[in-house]
Amino acid sequence: MQLTKTLKVTPEELFDALAGSIMQDIENATGKRPSRNKLNGYKYEKRAQSAKGKAKGTAIKVKIKHFDYPCLYEVRFQYAAGINTMRYEAVPAGDGACELTYTEDFQGVGGNTSGTRGKLGLFFYERKLKSHANQAIDQIVKYIEGERRVKANPAFADDTAENASDVFH
């Protein structure tokens, strides 16, 4: 699944937000917080949150395949059901904007994506994925706009802090 959007944020703003989220995820999983320049090739393991967020969920091996600030971020999530790869590519689009190409690919394990039933399931999965990707990208832009407001007027800091935890999850 591939999605291309023009965003009203710079590639640097986008990748600052992505890096912050990535580093927070690594810290939550490992207790370590690598710097942005150490993200390329970084590997770690984490557990997905269960639906209710109480119990530990599925084990996930994460590898940041590429982190080239502010152009490219590609990550692979490997878990029992398969491998999910996400890629963000940003290029400047003038006037403080960028064009983002988001790609996501899922490879199932054990043939659960082969045959008519598997292909039909993948079709519906990709439709749902596109909707979720659009929502996530919109949330990232909203977060960046909030950060801009705080820089312009620090009195808005409380509003942005309250919403930050919901942006990337």
Side-chain angles (χ1 to χ4, degrees):
M1 186 274 309
Q2 185 169 325
L3 173 68
T4 300
K5 293 181 81 165
T6 300
L7 308 178
K8 294 181 181 182
V9 299
T10 66
E12 292 81 8
E13 289 174 315
L14 175 64
F15 273 74
D16 286 343
L18 288 172
S21 179
I22 296 163
M23 291 184 297
Q24 185 63 54
D25 188 54
I26 293 170
E27 184 174 12
N28 291 344
T30 68
K32 300 174 186 172
R33 188 173 180 97
S35 63
R36 184 176 71 196
N37 62 356
K38 302 270 187 193
L39 293 176
N40 194 47
Y42 200 91
K43 296 178 188 178
Y44 64 103
E45 291 187 29
K46 69 179 192 171
R47 290 215 170 255
Q49 288 184 339
S50 69
K52 295 183 182 178
K54 294 182 180 179
K56 291 190 175 185
T58 306
I60 303 172
K61 291 181 181 179
V62 182
K63 180 178 182 189
I64 300 170
K65 295 174 74 174
H66 302 284
F67 191 88
D68 182 15
Y69 180 90
C71 309
L72 175 65
Y73 167 52
E74 183 175 355
V75 62
R76 179 185 70 207
F77 300 96
Q78 183 175 349
Y79 47 100
I83 298 172
N84 195 33
T85 304
M86 298 182 338
R87 182 180 180 99
Y88 292 78
E89 290 182 82
V91 293
D95 293 330
C98 72
E99 183 174 283
L100 172 68
T101 301
Y102 174 84
T103 309
E104 189 162 346
D105 179 54
F106 176 75
Q107 297 175 344
V109 172
N112 60 4
T113 57
S114 62
T116 304
R117 188 176 191 167
K119 288 178 183 174
L120 186 60
L122 262 180
F123 171 76
F124 286 110
Y125 173 75
E126 286 189 1
R127 282 186 58 190
K128 184 177 179 183
L129 200 59
K130 197 168 209 170
S131 173
H132 285 280
N134 267 311
Q135 290 173 6
I137 292 166
D138 290 346
Q139 286 290 69
I140 292 169
V141 171
K142 185 177 176 183
Y143 171 79
I144 293 167
E145 289 169 346
E147 289 293 303
R148 286 178 181 163
R149 284 185 16 196
V150 169
K151 286 179 184 173
N153 185 351
F156 291 121
D158 290 339
D159 294 340
T160 303
E162 289 175 14
N163 298 324
S165 63
D166 297 331
V167 171
F168 303 102
H169 304 287

